[in-house]
Amino acid sequence: MNLKSFAGGLHPPDSKHYSAGKAIERCPLPDELIIPAAQHIGAPAEICVAVGDQVKKGQQLAAAKGFVSVPVHASSSGEVIAVEPRLHPLGRPLPAVVIKPDGKDQWDTSLTGADPEQLEVAALKEMIRDAGIVGMGGATFPTHVKLSPPGEKQIDTLILNGVECEPFLTADHRLMLEESERIIDGIKILRKVLNLETAIIGIEANKPDAIEHLTTACVAHNIQVQPLKVQYPQGAEKQLIDACTGRQVPSGGLPMDCGVVVQNVGTCAAVSDAVRLGRPLVERIATVTGPGVVEPKNLLVAIGTPLQHLLDQCGGLTGDPAKIIMGGPMMGQTQLSLEVPAIRGTSGLLIFREEDLSLKNAGPCIRCGRCISVCPIHLQPTTIAAYARLDMVDEAKQQNALDCIECGCCTYICPAALPLVQSIRHIKGGIMAKRRKI
Amino acid sequence: MDKQLYLSSSPHIHSGETTDKVMRLVIYALLPATLLAIYFFGLPALSTLLICTLGCIGFEALSCKLLKQPPTIADGSAALTGILLAFNLPPSIPWWIALLGAATAILIGKQIYGGLGYNPFNPALVARVVLLISFPVQMTRWTAPAPLASGIDAITAATPLGEMKTVVSLTGKLPELANSGFMDYFTGNMGGSLGEVSALALLLGGLFLIYKKVISWHIPVSFLGTVLVIGGIFWLVDPGRYPSPVFHLLTGGLLLGAFFMATDMVTSPVTYKGMLIFGFGCGLLTILIRLFGGYPEGVSFAILLMNAVTPLIDRTCRPKIYGQVAQQA
């Protein structure tokens, strides 16, 4: 196999054996669905229902506010029992609509699909936006914005991200195995919207079954499947573009600046549903996994399902949880509680026990240079982190701190256990704050 | 869920690499040379090794205590410095000079700058050079190898490099030993510093470190390559006056320096490109001192001088950052 890759990175144990062989299972509805108005990058949606309202599945609960925003929908039918701030995966209470499902799970009958061949590009984009489609790899950037590059940008390549380089996660892997028709249909719609021919699905070589399955399925559709070396962060947008096309996104720019749009394979499947069936994004696949989970699974989850409910479907906890992580172990966010709901960007729920954590005190940097050799952006993490510890904002900026993609390779490899990416994240905040002040 | 949860920003897993693991692996890599040194030079070598190692650990513990800092000897770096210092001394050096060396290495070479990670110069080499300048007689009184079992008392002997320098400066011609005895040089059966004599043992240790990815190949290859190429050019020009590159490679502290001293992470560049430049500089200076300098051996001076320019090399060898490309119009 001709494996492509990028320069840098590393290969942590992928730990996908917990759930890679488990077929997607539909998670039963919980007693309460907690649906936050902010589930995407950009302006939070504006809640347009009130306590006591009866809602159908797919009905709009909150309307998009501005261009970089998407609406939010009910993920099952039932009664709105509260509209109030609830604990959000971001770590603080944020406005949410709480629904008590009626158990019928009835779709809103006004939602109708269309044949994408018959629709104009503008109409397709509108359907994608109205369905609340966001990047489902975890970044949750509104998809219709990515599909609307300014006229002067020439886009010639669509890259589909099926890399899933985060250890433990297998949601995209299962989707590619079980739902390839929806993915391919979504790709064809995106190709039409972007008015281009070249579409490449990038998949890491640790998923040979998915590579084989999609290669066969894609032959008739002129879509390339590109096997990629198992190397974290192969699925980071910039690294994926480099691996698949040899192009680099200019520093401070976006993929469209080098003629590329990247979409996650899960997003493609959601786009297909949005257009063909008229169904908004109200459910997603999430991997519930980790040494702290009795029976790891890949679950099809209604948006708003509390994490505790997901765990209950997987046999519960094996011991006291020490870390609850939404997403993967390299870039996921730790959670305050299992009451937090799964949202559109929830690719996984990972539970670590105390004994699974690495809790070492940081020592002095011994200048071994490993953080530099693994940095996929080729920064000098130890230097930037040293500036960050001294709050030397300008010096950190000069070292291109803003180019850091926060993949975590530097912290992962550091023998001195220094929190390198954490320091860089901190100083990036400082650089942005200073920029706003000027 | 009564227990508290950990909240932290990502990543949430770690490679398991630690500083003490790095130090431990380097110490393992020095074991073959240590054992051979004890075999060739007997009890004096063993006692020098013990004095230097325990001395370094002791001085580091003492300095942490005096400065009210948390103890750092568990990271293994003091022990490593001690072993490397012993490797750079004549095997039967008086005990008090060895102890003074340990104090110099740890206190002046390392702790004074703030401890591990902050010292600009290789501590063991700082100590060696201080001792070489302060005690020129004792520091150049070499003993011929007298294997433990032989029962012979130590007899003084010159190092091949020292002998060469003397003979060349007197006669302008290479002595016989520059063209023969290579097998002894390879195994370590010659006069010299405690740990530098056996090319075989050092090579084994060095390759182990590269295989274990503790060090990268860049510094040793460019250091040794430079010595071989430049040494080779001189040899080709006048083989009666200049020794062969293989002689350069097997004698003196070149292999010890290239694999274990120049690769000290704290005092060498952090990028691969920088490491290549660093190694080249070490090799060039070594050959110049060996052939034209006042001392017979130049590895220590070469590495210390290159330590001094490491910050400059690091500044000029920043890697090319992803995305430094022209924006599409």
Side-chain angles (χ1 to χ4, degrees), chain A residues 9-41:
Chain A
L10 42 75
H11 178 43
D14 73 14
S15 308
K16 293 186 190 274
H17 60 275
Y18 285 102
S19 57
K22 307 278 182 64
I24 300 165
E25 233 177 82
R26 179 173 282 279
C27 177
L29 286 169
D31 298 335
E32 234 180 37
L33 288 163
I34 304 159
I35 304 174
Q39 297 188 45
H40 49 265
I41 290 182

Side-chain angles (χ1 to χ4, degrees), chain B residues 292-321:
Chain B
F292 307 108
Y295 284 96
E297 172 60 309
V299 170
S300 312
F301 293 109
I303 296 172
L304 285 173
L305 285 169
M306 290 310 291
N307 286 163
V309 291
T310 291
L312 277 179
I313 296 177
D314 273 342
R315 194 171 299 180
T316 39
C317 292
R318 281 172 61 179
K320 186 173 184 294
I321 291 168

Side-chain angles (χ1 to χ4, degrees), chain B:
Chain B
M1 281 209 309
D2 310 324
K3 289 222 177 144
Q4 293 211 315
L5 292 169
Y6 288 92
L7 289 180
S8 65
S9 68
S10 61
H12 309 290
I13 50 177
H14 189 266
S15 59
E17 289 293 314
T18 60
T19 301
D20 39 306
K21 201 162 134 193
V22 170
M23 299 297 165
R24 208 162 54 233
L25 284 171
V26 181
I27 291 175
Y28 292 161
L30 288 169
L31 268 181
T34 309
L35 294 176
L36 267 182
I38 297 171
Y39 171 76
F40 280 127
F41 299 117
L43 287 179
L46 183 62
S47 90
T48 303
L49 272 162
L50 286 176
I51 291 168
C52 288
T53 309
L54 297 177
C56 281
I57 296 174
F59 285 117
E60 181 152 315
L62 185 72
S63 104
C64 288
K65 202 167 176 68
L66 289 180
L67 297 169
K68 299 190 172 61
Q69 295 290 313
T72 52
I73 52 170
D75 67 23
S77 69
L80 177 57
T81 299
I83 298 173
L84 286 173
L85 171 63
F87 269 40
N88 279 284
L89 299 177
S92 26
I93 190 98
W95 67 269
W96 56 273
I97 295 186
L99 196 63
L100 197 63
T104 313
I106 292 299
L107 301 180
I108 298 176
K110 179 175 164 193
Q111 295 301 93
I112 210 170
Y113 297 104
L116 180 65
Y118 298 101
N119 50 297
F121 298 101
N122 186 315
L125 287 182
V126 168
R128 175 185 142 84
V129 167
V130 165
L131 295 183
L132 185 62
I133 295 167
S134 314
F135 308 100
V137 178
Q138 291 91 331
M139 281 294 286
T140 52
R141 187 182 291 146
W142 311 101
T143 41
L148 272 179
S150 69
I152 306 170
D153 277 346
I155 36 173
T156 51
T159 66
L161 280 176
E163 178 81 4
M164 183 193 81
K165 178 127 272 176
T166 317
V167 174
V168 169
S169 65
L170 290 175
T171 67
K173 291 236 179 313
L174 279 181
E176 177 52 29
L177 59 76
N179 295 312
S180 60
F182 282 19
M183 204 47 188
D184 282 341
Y185 302 156
F186 185 63
T187 54
N189 191 16
M190 61 176 162
S193 290
L194 189 151
E196 73 180 18
V197 290
S198 175
L200 174 66
L202 293 168
L203 212 54
L204 277 178
L207 294 178
F208 169 76
L209 286 187
I210 293 174
Y211 169 73
K212 283 296 210 176
K213 295 191 174 154
V214 174
I215 60 172
S216 71
W217 57 266
H218 299 79
I219 290 177
V221 166
S222 96
F223 193 163
L224 299 175
T226 306
V227 169
L228 283 177
V229 169
I230 300 184
I233 292 172
F234 279 107
W235 177 61
L236 286 175
V237 168
D238 186 354
R241 171 96 170 66
Y242 301 110
S244 79
V246 181
F247 179 80
H248 277 300
L249 191 68
L250 297 180
T251 58
L254 183 58
L255 288 170
L256 176 62
F259 282 111
F260 294 96
M261 314 295 292
T263 54
D264 170 30
M265 296 159 179
V266 175
T267 56
S268 63
V270 288
T271 63
Y272 294 141
K273 199 171 139 200
M275 291 176 190
L276 290 175
I277 296 174
F278 181 86
F280 170 77
C282 289
L284 181 68
L285 290 168
T286 297
I287 251 325
L288 290 180
I289 296 172
R290 278 186 178 186
L291 296 181
F292 307 108
Y295 284 96
E297 172 60 309
V299 170
S300 312
F301 293 109
I303 296 172
L304 285 173
L305 285 169
M306 290 310 291
N307 286 163
V309 291
T310 291
L312 277 179
I313 296 177
D314 273 342
R315 194 171 299 180
T316 39
C317 292
R318 281 172 61 179
K320 186 173 184 294
I321 291 168
Y322 177 105
Q324 300 289 16
V325 288
Q327 193 138 341
Q328 183 190 312

